[in-house]
């Protein structure tokens, strides 16, 4: 039997994923050992392989078939736009993609002014403003601490992830518009979906059962 390979998102999502998989009898203790520099982990008994990657790279590994299955945030799936099948909402890592800014930016949004939007997610921001709102904006790509942008005058608003809302609150910003809800999703390579159909189907059936119970 060939190995079924999983690409997991390094960090909290990987930990949550392994917790979930352990509930359906899939384990791989080593993978969460922070001191290990190993990149690939194998469960010989079940013929499974696991590796950890940066979030935005997970859909890439899955599209090219280097991994059959991936677990990654919906934000990354939308942003990367890779040819993968999204097969399951894993229901953890829940948060929202939002347009945020100071209260004063409300008016600018309302009147569809040509504003600047800072974000780590230019494709999501473009889709939202151009296709959904039909508002022309200038999008500025940043790589982190997006909340800084309106505070220092780089942009009027941001498109960013909001989880507890405390980063916004502590910086005098607020949610102005909701773009979409987010959570961790399981994605599958389209060819694997056909070739490994039985194994993947079995995995999904088990996952869906425990997700419904939970
Ligand atoms: C994310 C996001 C917000 C923050 C939201 O950033 O970009 O900054 O978390 O969380 P909260 O609503 O619970 O405050 P992350 O910490 O992932 O790092 P980044 O700033 O480098 O993107």
């Amino acid at each position: 039997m060939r190995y079924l390979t999983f690409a997991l998102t390094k960090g909290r999502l990987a930990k949550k994923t392994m917790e979930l998989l352990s509930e359906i009898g899939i384990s791989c203790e080593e993978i969460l050992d922070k001191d290990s520099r190993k990149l690939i982990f194998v469960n010989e008994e079940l013929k499974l392989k696991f590796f950890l990657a940066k979030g935005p790279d997970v859909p890439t590994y899955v599209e090219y078939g280097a991994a059959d299955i991936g677990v990654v945030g919906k934000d990354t799936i939308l942003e990367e736009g890779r040819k993968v099948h999204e097969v399951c909402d894993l229901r953890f890592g829940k948060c929202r993609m939002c347009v945020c800014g100071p209260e004063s930016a409300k008016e600018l949004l309302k009147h569809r002014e040509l504003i600047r939007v800072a974000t780590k997610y230019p494709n999501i921001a473009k889709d939202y403003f151009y296709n959904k709102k039909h508002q022309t904006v200038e999008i500025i790509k940043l790589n982190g601490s997006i909340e800084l942008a309106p505070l220092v005058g780089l942009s009027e608003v941001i498109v960013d992830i909001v989880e507890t809302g405390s980063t916004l609150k502590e910086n005098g910003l607020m949610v102005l518009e909701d773009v979409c809800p987010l959570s961790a999703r399981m994605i599958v390579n389209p060819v694997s979906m056909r070739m490994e159909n039985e194994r993947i189907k079995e995995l999904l059936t088990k996952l869906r059962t425990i997700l419904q119970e939970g």
Side-chain angles (χ1 to χ4, degrees), residues 12 120-121 143-147 160-169:
R12 215 158 33 127
K120 205 153 104 176
Y121 303 91
N143 294 293
S145 303
I146 315 298
E147 290 85 355
D160 200 18
I161 291 173
V162 178
E163 193 182 348
T164 61
S166 57
T167 311
L168 291 177
K169 207 168 155 201

Side-chain angles (χ1 to χ4, degrees), residues 16-166:
K16 289 267 189 193
T17 306
M18 292 318 292
E19 283 169 14
L20 185 66
L21 291 177
S22 77
E23 288 185 49
I24 59 166
I26 294 176
S27 62
C28 188
E29 310 245 304
E30 262 185 312
I31 197 168
L32 299 175
D33 176 1
K34 281 210 176 77
D35 298 327
S36 169
R37 307 302 293 169
K38 237 170 101 168
L39 294 172
I40 298 178
F41 305 88
V42 184
N43 180 325
E44 283 298 348
E45 199 189 331
L46 299 173
K47 287 280 178 232
L48 300 173
K49 275 188 193 169
F50 299 89
F51 65 83
L52 299 173
K54 285 265 188 192
D57 296 339
V58 168
T60 312
Y61 283 108
V62 174
E63 177 181 298
Y64 284 89
D68 301 287
I69 296 171
V71 175
V72 66
K74 178 70 177 175
D75 49 321
T76 306
I77 299 173
L78 291 170
E79 183 61 25
E80 296 300 313
R82 293 281 176 182
K83 292 189 201 84
V84 297
H85 290 314
E86 187 185 315
V87 293
C88 191
D89 182 344
L90 301 177
R91 309 224 201 122
F92 53 78
K94 277 193 186 167
C95 47
R96 306 184 280 157
M97 186 66 74
C98 301
V99 180
C100 312
E103 192 170 5
S104 59
K106 268 187 189 165
E107 283 296 302
L108 304 174
L109 288 169
K110 208 165 99 190
H111 298 115
R112 295 175 199 279
E113 302 218 18
L114 177 55
I115 50 172
R116 289 192 290 200
V117 179
T119 185
K120 205 153 104 176
Y121 303 91
N123 292 326
I124 294 177
K126 237 178 266 172
D127 181 62
Y128 180 71
F129 279 102
Y130 283 74
N131 301 335
K132 297 209 178 78
K133 296 209 28 159
H134 306 291
Q135 178 174 0
T136 306
V137 296
E138 183 180 343
I139 290 167
I140 303 172
K141 157 92 199 240
L142 290 178
N143 294 293
S145 303
I146 315 298
E147 290 85 355
L148 260 176
L151 300 179
V152 298
L154 177 65
S155 71
E156 282 76 26
V157 300
I158 60 175
V159 167
D160 200 18
I161 291 173
V162 178
E163 193 182 348
T164 61
S166 57

